[in-house]
Amino acid sequence: MIIRIAEPEDAKKIKELYQQVARSSNTIIRLENEITDEYVEEFIKRSLEKGLILVAEHEEAPGKIIGEIHAYSPGIHAFRHIFSNLTIAVHPNFQGRKIGRTIFTIFQEEIALNKTDIGKVELIVRESNTKAIQFYQALGFQIEGRFEMRIRTAQNTYEADIPMSWQNPNFEFD
Ligand SMILES: CC(C)(COP(=O)(O)OP(=O)(O)OC[C@H]1O[C@@H](n2cnc3c(N)ncnc32)[C@H](O)[C@@H]1OP(=O)(O)O)[C@@H](O)C(=O)NCCC(=O)NCCS
């Protein structure tokens, strides 16, 4: 497996990955038809400018991206020490094979080693995605609260959204 920083040219492959994940489960926040070129191009751009974005390629799926993780700073002074909007996706055929853990660990190591101005990484995960909540907890994230009735599901019911965060052990105040 190769894990590398994404490039703008990866947009089409990342879009395919997100659409595949959206099609197979109600885990990522957007419906398949909401995963547009604009959405993907925008988060790649923001992550390259003010965040971090990694992709995974695998010899069993030549020419495809089978995993991706990104987060970025909202860009204003008050939030300059935060990476927010974290999203991770692993292709359904490759889930449960430690690819998510591997890409996420490299993401955290890169922040701890080379982004010491970032003190905190935030995400929000829907309550029903217990697999992802356990996954994030195993990687050192803590639950910070609970946003009631924040998510309207594809079936038009409602569920809570769970904010979680991880703190950079090497954060340096500047
Ligand atoms: C959540 C996700 C990123 C995990 O990646 P993965 O490659 O499947 O997970 P890994 O094989 O690396 O497993 C790592 C940890 O995840 C958790 N986990 C994985 N599969 C699990 C399952 N079926 N049930 C419960 N926990 C599970 C465990 O804590 C596991 O710890 P372990 O390594 O000690 O066993 C991946 O399944 C995915 O993309 N899911 C769909 C999209 C999504 O939910 N994204 C997050 C919300 S935005």
Side-chain angles (χ1 to χ4, degrees):
M1 182 166 64
I2 295 172
I3 294 175
R4 60 170 174 81
I5 292 177
E7 300 165 358
E9 293 70 30
D10 293 323
K12 190 165 171 287
K13 291 179 184 176
I14 294 174
K15 182 182 172 194
E16 283 167 9
L17 168 67
Y18 271 59
Q19 287 183 326
Q20 188 79 47
V21 172
R23 208 174 300 145
S24 75
S25 64
N26 288 325
T27 50
I28 52 177
I29 197 77
R30 286 177 180 247
L31 299 176
E32 184 182 348
N33 65 4
E34 294 169 334
I35 298 165
T36 59
D37 290 337
E38 294 71 30
Y39 163 64
V40 175
E41 285 164 11
E42 180 69 13
F43 76 62
I44 295 175
K45 183 168 177 285
R46 283 179 173 234
S47 303
L48 289 173
E49 282 173 6
K50 289 190 170 65
L52 184 58
I53 177 165
L54 302 177
V55 291
E57 294 166 320
H58 201 284
E59 52 278 13
E60 286 175 27
K64 288 195 171 190
I65 286 175
I66 54 110
E68 189 269 356
I69 183 169
H70 70 266
Y72 49 84
S73 172
I76 63 171
H77 176 83
F79 299 138
R80 56 177 290 179
H81 62 296
I82 291 175
F83 276 177
S84 200
N85 290 57
L86 184 143
T87 307
I88 181 168
V90 173
H91 190 286
N93 294 353
F94 289 83
Q95 289 175 11
R97 291 169 54 174
K98 307 287 181 210
I99 289 168
R101 175 180 279 274
T102 304
I103 193 169
F104 211 120
T105 303
I106 292 173
F107 186 86
Q108 288 172 300
E109 285 173 357
E110 174 64 15
I111 292 169
L113 284 175
N114 296 321
K115 300 196 182 294
T116 53
D117 58 329
I118 298 302
K120 187 178 181 189
V121 179
E122 297 177 336
L123 59 86
I124 313 182
V125 54
R126 59 174 65 198
E127 184 180 29
S128 59
N129 197 353
T130 51
K131 175 177 160 180
I133 293 173
Q134 285 175 32
F135 171 73
Y136 296 135
Q137 285 176 320
L139 289 159
F141 276 70
Q142 294 194 337
I143 293 176
E144 295 207 313
R146 180 181 170 87
F147 298 125
E148 291 294 348
M149 213 182 110
R150 185 158 186 268
I151 304 281
R152 183 177 172 125
T153 68
Q155 295 74 33
N156 294 322
T157 59
Y158 293 91
E159 66 171 310
D161 222 1
I162 309 295
M164 300 184 75
S165 77
W166 170 78
Q167 293 194 13
N168 182 357
N170 299 333
F171 178 47
E172 290 172 358
F173 291 89
D174 61 359

